[in-house]
Amino acid sequence: MPEQVKDVPLHTSNPYELRVDLGRDVPETDVRTALRTGDLGFIHSYTTGSTVDGPGVRVVAWTSGCMWRCLYCHNPDTWTMTNGIPVSVARAVDEVRKYQHGLKTMAGGFTLSGGEPLMQHRFAVRLLTAVHDMGVHTALDTNGYYGDKLSDAELEAVSLVLLDLKAWDPERHKRLTGMDVAPTKAFAERLAARRRPVWLRYVLVPGLTDDPEDIKRIAAFAARLGNVERVDVLPFHQMGRFKWERLGLTYTLQDTPSPSAELIASTVAIYKAEGLRAF
Ligand code: SF4
């Protein structure tokens, strides 16, 4: 492990701590080997005690690396994989093992989030499988773009998928994220066909993702899938703005407010109208 990261704590009190260049000195060939084998992963941080990233109280590992560029991303320091701490899969598993009894007792679990965890899909599979084998509930928070990198057998180690669907309309999705929405929809269909539990996550941004027609189409899709156990409408906030500024990135949402209570309620109502449990 590079010298400068030895003393960096894996745990932070919150995932908003800015982290850059912690894996900078890992040679390019080692990064490629890590991606191929999953022996090593790049992790922004761990947090404990989360109650919003799956059922019960959770330990969350935030990976670094994301190929999307969502305009509202609150963790742009996770876009670059080598901004994260290089962590062996054994150490990553041990960090969860410390809490396994408490997590089981409290009906909580472990959530792998990011960034986009499937940018490091071999590492993600090895970590999730090891935690699942401990008897701990596992959740994978993903935009679904690389869902096809996981085999059906590997999906069995994921107790719950937290699927982030950002928009329905392909053009809107592309403007918002820079990427195609089709792979995410295809992954959602596959999870439904395999009856894997899903919680849908929808970030609500005034002026960007508040078109009721677009939301109605997502709601109808989610209801048809039959495996979406709940929908979480996540209000946009400005907590990640300082990271864009510190990283020298152009942030375009400086004048965008958080959604009003009325807008949140009307969005939740659209999902509920399709018979979904929405919050
Ligand atoms: S998918 Fe998530 S981590 Fe990636 S840019 Fe979008 S909000 Fe940020």
Side-chain angles (χ1 to χ4, degrees), residues 240-259:
R241 176 178 174 175
F242 82 97
K243 290 192 174 187
W244 287 72
E245 290 163 357
R246 292 270 295 278
L247 293 166
L249 298 166
T250 304
Y251 185 66
T252 56
L253 304 188
Q254 59 271 17
D255 298 324
T256 302
S258 294

Side-chain angles (χ1 to χ4, degrees), residues 66 68-70 73 78-79 115 143 166:
C66 186
W68 291 20
R69 294 293 178 263
C70 301
C73 184
T78 64
W79 290 352
N143 60 37
K166 318 277 186 184

Side-chain angles (χ1 to χ4, degrees), residues 108-129:
F110 169 69
T111 300
L112 190 61
S113 187
E116 170 47 52
L118 297 186
M119 283 284 284
Q120 310 177 55
H121 51 87
R122 290 307 90 198
F123 177 77
V125 163
R126 290 180 64 181
L127 176 53
L128 288 164
T129 301

